[in-house]
Amino acid sequence: MTTVNTKYKSAPLTLPLIISALLFSTAACSNQSGLSTNTDYKEPKTSATKSPANADKPEFTTKTVATFDEPWAMTALPKMNNKAPKFLVTQKTGELFIVDTATGAKTAVTGIPNVAYGGQGGLGDITLAPDFATSNNVYISYAEAGTGSDSNKFGAKVIKAKLSGMNTSTPSLQGITPIWQQVPKVTGQGHYSHRLLFSPDGQYLYISSGERQKKDPAQDMSMNLGKIIRLNADGSVPKDNPFVNNSNKIASQFWTMGNRNVLGMAFDKKGKLWVNEMGPKNGDEFNLIEKGKNYGWPLVSNGSDYSGAPIPDHDTRPEFEEPKITWTPVISPSSMTIYSSGTHNDFPAWEGDFLIGGLSSKALVVVSTDNDTASERYRYDMGERIRSVLAVDGQVWVLEDESDSKLLQLLPK
């Protein structure tokens, strides 16, 4: 395991940024009842194995493509005739846009379901169906409000829909089909997670399901909160899921458990699934996800509770999977993408590395992996909270967080 500590130095990461990460990490880690400014934390046992100040660190400038209000996720549409890519971009408030990265033009997509906007909730992730080239289907996650006895309760939901009129001025979602939802709906509007990712072969849909700031559901086999879910593309349960023979049908969805708030997921070139996860107060994590494993939340964490109460470290409970990297101070990780060269090769030094957006850290963090180990390689001060990162065909885009946020293309120097 690699642990990044307070003595960690990075040329672009200035002292004010470190102080900001300490003081405001709770906003990113979603203590909805109020912000904590207690900066006490456990001393890490080791330091980073690689310095982000390496001499070969690539540098870049940024180009503004478009602006958004509270964007959350983006994905690329298939490229046409070597033209600049078009993206699908979601906004938490319930809007979906097709964005031409060549011109910055944004076209609104209609037919979006009603979303429960507030706190960390709203319109969430979007990804293309594996057969998008023929079906035009997309998968979308969002926060949904309950009704009846579930009034004033909320949960994440995933749908499949056809993106119709994609190359017209009036695109829309058609034929919406429910795929999955969090059970049960609960009070509060934090830790939905609801990140979507298809396996490299296109057969399985992985969904990160946050524990909704309730802690205990992450270890509860009767709830699908605090888990990573694995389904077939139609929402059915694969027969080889680790808990498929459990008498509780909810548990058959689980791929892993003991997860807190997974906001980034990506497969490496060997087909291994890696995720980033927000810790409580300190102790953000980078984890290798393996079938049937328990990652320990809330029984262990390399952070501490917002109340100041200590939580046992991972190494005190070897039955739980230990993170490959923990960050103290936090980076508040958001989305994650893996860099691979293609038609373009803007950043050859990043080949095979994971690019992670940082919220409270206002950073782009580059992480490398080697079989089952990982380490932070580079860190870039972006000056703004980074909500989403996307590598496409050897080029890289980042999306800032909150209102008046820029979609930026990174251009190598």
Side-chain angles (χ1 to χ4, degrees):
M1 180 190 72
T2 299
T3 305
V4 180
N5 67 16
T6 54
K7 297 180 181 179
Y8 194 96
K9 294 183 180 180
S10 172
L13 188 63
T14 62
L15 181 59
L17 182 58
I18 296 173
I19 294 172
S20 174
L22 284 167
L23 293 180
F24 298 105
S25 62
T26 49
C29 293
S30 63
N31 179 7
Q32 297 291 330
S33 61
L35 299 180
S36 167
T37 57
N38 186 337
T39 57
D40 293 338
Y41 56 87
K42 303 171 186 176
E43 284 296 329
K45 297 177 177 60
T46 59
S47 60
T49 57
K50 290 188 179 181
S51 168
N54 289 347
D56 65 342
K57 180 179 178 181
E59 298 296 339
F60 53 79
T61 59
T62 61
K63 174 186 175 182
T64 300
V65 176
T67 59
F68 298 88
D69 287 323
E70 297 188 74
W72 205 88
M74 58 180 170
T75 194
L77 291 166
K79 291 185 71 173
M80 302 286 290
N81 301 322
N82 291 322
K83 294 182 178 179
K86 291 184 177 182
F87 292 168
L88 294 171
V89 177
T90 65
Q91 291 186 164
K92 278 176 57 181
T93 43
E95 295 81 29
L96 172 63
F97 295 98
I98 297 176
V99 184
D100 187 336
T101 62
T103 64
K106 300 187 298 185
T107 305
V109 178
T110 61
I112 310 301
N114 292 328
V115 306
Y117 168 70
Q120 296 176 15
L123 191 59
D125 205 6
I126 184 165
T127 192
L128 306 185
D131 64 351
F132 180 85
T134 55
S135 71
N136 280 5
N137 284 333
V138 295
Y139 289 73
I140 298 174
S141 67
Y142 61 97
E144 180 185 60
T147 59
S149 61
D150 280 340
S151 294
N152 299 317
K153 295 182 179 180
F154 306 91
K157 187 171 185 176
V158 177
I159 60 169
K160 179 176 73 173
K162 181 177 180 178
L163 180 58
S164 180
M166 182 171 54
N167 297 314
T168 72
S169 61
T170 57
S172 64
L173 295 184
Q174 303 287 337
I176 291 175
T177 303
I179 294 294
W180 176 86
Q181 63 181 353
Q182 286 182 326
V183 178
K185 286 183 168 62
V186 298
T187 57
Q189 292 178 289
H191 291 197
Y192 293 98
S193 297
H194 60 31
R195 185 66 69 189
L196 307 176
L197 179 69
F198 273 98
S199 57
D201 62 7
Q203 187 171 354
Y204 303 112
L205 174 65
Y206 291 81
I207 306 168
S208 67
S209 179
E211 41 77 276
R212 301 285 281 105
Q213 296 178 298
K214 305 302 182 184
K215 297 182 180 178
D216 292 344
Q219 297 294 329
D220 191 330
M221 297 294 285
S222 69
M223 302 180 182
N224 61 13
L225 311 179
K227 315 296 192 305
I228 291 178
I229 306 301
R230 179 181 182 253
L231 303 174
N232 294 313
D234 63 0
S236 61
V237 173
K239 294 181 179 179
D240 61 343
N241 272 9
F243 306 106
V244 75
N245 294 321
N246 192 292
S247 59
N248 186 329
K249 290 185 179 180
I250 289 292
S252 67
Q253 306 171 359
F254 306 167
W255 189 247
T256 64
M257 56 190 297
N259 303 104
R260 185 176 184 268
N261 190 21
V262 171
L263 290 176
M265 300 195 296
F267 284 95
D268 67 17
K269 292 185 175 182
K270 295 180 179 179
K272 294 180 179 181
L273 177 58
W274 298 83
V275 307
N276 62 51
E277 183 166 353
M278 284 198 179
K281 188 172 67 177
N282 299 310
D284 287 345
E285 298 180 5
F286 186 74
N287 284 304
L288 175 60
I289 295 300
E290 297 181 283
K291 177 180 180 178
K293 296 294 180 67
N294 189 325
Y295 290 78
W297 180 254
L299 302 176
V300 294
S301 172
N302 286 26
S304 58
D305 196 84
Y306 286 113
S307 68
I311 304 172
D313 282 357
H314 279 84
D315 59 10
T316 67
R317 298 285 299 270
E319 68 270 31
F320 298 126
E321 288 299 299
E322 191 172 10
K324 305 303 181 182
I325 302 175
T326 62
W327 283 280
T328 296
V330 296
I331 62 169
S332 303
S334 57
S335 74
M336 184 164 72
T337 189
I338 188 167
Y339 185 84
S340 180
S341 61
T343 304
H344 307 273
N345 190 17
D346 285 354
F347 302 99
W350 293 350
E351 183 66 33
D353 288 345
F354 293 87
L355 313 182
I356 301 173
L359 293 167
S360 66
S361 59
K362 298 182 179 180
L364 175 66
V365 179
V366 181
V367 167
S368 64
T369 59
D370 183 8
N371 293 319
D372 293 351
T373 65
S375 59
E376 178 177 327
R377 190 176 182 198
Y378 307 120
R379 188 182 298 197
Y380 298 86
D381 178 4
M382 300 299 294
E384 298 290 342
R385 292 164 58 91
I386 301 302
R387 173 54 68 180
S388 187
V389 186
L390 185 62
V392 181
D393 198 23
Q395 298 177 307
V396 179
W397 285 262
V398 300
L399 190 58
E400 296 173 349
D401 192 39
E402 301 177 334
S403 60
D404 196 27
S405 298
K406 298 180 181 67
L407 171 61
L408 302 171
Q409 183 180 358
L410 307 188
L411 301 174
K413 285 187 176 180

